[in-house]
Amino acid sequence: MTIDRRQALSGLAGIGMAATGFARLGADGAGRDEFPAQGRLRLRRRCHHHINGAFTHPHAAGGSRGDAHAAVRRRATVGGPFEHTAEVWKDFAALINADPEEVGLIPNTSTGENWVVEALELRPGRDNVVTDGLHFEGALVHLMERRKQGLDVRVVMPRDGRIHMSDLERAVDDRTKLVEVSHVAMYNGFQHDLKAVSDLAHAHGAYVYADIIQGVGAVPLDVRATGIDFAAASTYKWLMGDFGLGFMFVRRGLLDTVVRRPHWSYESAPDVEFHWSPTDPKSPEAIAYTPGRTAGTYLRLGTVASSVAAALSVSLPYIHRLGVANIEAHRVPLVQRLQAGCPPRLQGPDAAGEHLAGGHLRPRRHGRHCPEACAGEGGRCGSRPTGSGIAPSVYNDMADIELLDALS
């Protein structure tokens, strides 16, 4: 299966970074805004080329409407916010080949990473954590602060833009409790072989946490095949959701055996029984409850961004229909063209070769920045202090890449 213009456009809606409203991309154009190219988003009478799904991704068609519909229901009825949250994690679980009971809702990826470190009860002097220099900066900040508190944190630095397994092997030993990595690096698109990482960690009795936000939805991920123990992802990138809601995977069998429950809330117990009213069952306790045994009851502390869940109730089925392998196959030649055409002065560390499928380009800070180069033609690339990201998605085609090449 290949993804053609009709499939991509019929399933996507563009959201401009500075936009106040939504514009829908459609194949037939009936009752919808028309766009001159599938990678261009016309908002505020300007045409932007959104070629960075790894930074933030446009909503799927209907996702914006679902988001707005959820907001309307929120104003009208108390029950509205809970309409979609009960189901979306099942679609996510299927996407990564997990059981629904192994997936819970979290507000963001960092919450998941912090939860793992806390739930494993890592102890200075007893345990060590191994990570790498291409791991997410927020996780590294967290681990560096743990190091200040005495925890042995070992950071494997990249060579030639890659983390080499031989370097990881030298860092992991029998006192390693956790290996933390990003499946796809946000800096240059380097993609870990999670099966190899898991095999290494498990051989030493350690567990693996993977930050999967930069890959899930764009790169096939099977948690059974890779053997990872924990994973977390927000949804505003390839999952086409938004800020404020994410997913976490905890491998079956780890709850109450390897990890403890670090937090409690009403979400921790699905069957709370009250004893305050004369009509309630008599009990000396204020409440009676049974702690839940699924990942969701361990992870969720309270309310979540229900409007994002409404958007995900559209985007996740859309991703399933296209197929992540097909999305990856569509992106590969675009990324290859980027790698081949971008001048060396604009390129950062290259994650080519076997890691290309999950990759995106992160130009250097030196020289002419991509935003500066694109601004005159209505281009817009996500910009961070580490450089400007370029990551094509299903709605982009080779014409968008040729435009970037011409501008460079």
Side-chain angles (χ1 to χ4, degrees), residues 61-402:
S64 301
R65 296 192 300 275
D67 197 343
H69 177 64
V72 171
R73 286 181 61 85
R74 185 68 183 95
R75 292 194 297 270
T77 173
V78 175
F82 310 104
E83 180 179 3
H84 297 287
T85 55
E87 298 296 328
V88 291
W89 80 76
K90 298 178 182 178
D91 282 332
F92 177 79
L95 196 66
I96 62 172
N97 193 28
D99 293 332
E101 293 77 16
E102 296 176 301
V103 172
L105 300 175
I106 53 176
N108 49 58
T109 314
S110 293
T111 296
E113 189 269 340
N114 275 259
W115 186 93
V116 170
V117 171
E118 200 168 347
L120 284 174
E121 299 184 292
L122 303 176
R123 294 183 188 175
R126 183 192 70 180
D127 307 315
N128 70 65
V129 177
V130 175
T131 186
D132 64 64
L134 293 180
H135 193 23
F136 173 51
E137 62 192 56
L140 291 178
V141 168
H142 176 213
L143 293 177
M144 292 305 98
E145 289 301 310
R146 291 282 181 155
R147 176 188 277 177
K148 292 178 183 178
Q149 299 169 14
L151 183 63
D152 182 2
V153 177
R154 305 172 182 183
V155 182
V156 175
M157 293 304 293
R159 292 185 288 116
D160 304 318
R162 295 167 172 78
I163 303 300
H164 293 262
M165 280 303 300
S166 58
D167 295 338
L168 274 179
E169 290 167 358
R170 283 190 288 270
V172 175
D173 59 27
D174 289 342
R175 298 182 69 178
T176 302
K177 187 71 172 287
L178 177 65
V179 177
E180 269 202 29
V181 298
S182 292
H183 182 203
V184 176
M186 61 176 284
Y187 311 104
N188 65 351
F190 168 80
Q191 185 176 339
H192 266 290
D193 179 347
L194 291 181
K195 178 64 164 60
V197 174
S198 296
D199 288 346
L200 171 63
H202 294 163
H204 291 273
Y207 302 92
V208 175
Y209 163 77
D211 178 331
I212 60 175
I213 186 174
Q214 292 290 145
V216 66
V219 179
L221 174 62
D222 185 328
V223 295
R224 295 281 178 264
T226 60
I228 59 176
D229 303 291
F230 311 97
S234 294
T235 61
Y236 60 88
K237 295 181 185 283
W238 303 111
L239 296 178
M240 308 180 197
D242 211 339
F243 300 102
L245 183 61
F247 299 103
M248 184 164 181
F249 162 76
V250 180
R251 182 167 59 81
R252 184 186 298 279
L254 298 182
L255 301 177
D256 276 340
T257 56
V258 172
V259 297
R260 70 173 180 87
R261 192 191 301 258
H263 311 120
W264 291 87
S265 80
Y266 63 90
E267 294 287 356
S268 306
D271 63 346
V272 177
E273 184 180 82
F274 298 95
H275 299 298
W276 63 270
S277 169
T279 61
D280 291 334
K282 299 298 182 182
S283 173
E285 302 294 338
I287 60 173
Y289 62 92
T290 303
R293 296 301 176 200
T294 65
T297 63
Y298 274 68
L299 296 165
R300 186 171 168 182
L301 283 178
T303 56
V304 296
S306 55
S307 61
V308 182
L312 289 167
S313 71
V314 175
S315 67
L316 292 177
Y318 170 68
I319 293 169
H320 277 291
R321 288 195 302 272
L322 284 183
V324 177
N326 295 319
I327 293 173
E328 180 186 54
H330 174 79
R331 296 184 62 242
V332 166
L334 304 182
V335 177
Q336 288 175 331
R337 180 65 181 83
L338 279 169
Q339 298 284 8
C342 192
R345 64 185 177 84
L346 290 181
Q347 290 192 29
D350 187 350
E354 69 273 23
H355 304 297
L356 182 63
H360 60 280
L361 194 63
R362 178 73 66 179
R364 296 183 191 274
R365 282 180 285 180
H366 308 298
R368 193 183 185 202
H369 283 204
C370 179
E372 297 168 3
C374 293
E377 298 294 331
R380 174 162 291 179
C381 300
S383 181
R384 295 175 58 87
T386 51
S388 304
I390 306 170
S393 187
V394 293
Y395 54 82
N396 293 119
D397 61 13
M398 201 61 72
D400 297 317
I401 309 306
E402 296 293 343

Side-chain angles (χ1 to χ4, degrees), residues 20-57:
T20 57
F22 301 105
R24 299 194 302 279
L25 294 177
D28 55 13
R32 305 184 182 193
D33 293 337
E34 288 293 329
F35 298 88
Q38 62 198 75
R40 301 179 185 178
L41 315 178
R42 188 174 296 282
L43 296 162
R44 291 187 173 181
R45 299 181 180 178
R46 294 187 62 188
C47 182
H48 298 299
H49 296 262
H50 190 98
I51 319 178
N52 197 0
F55 180 56
T56 57
H57 199 287

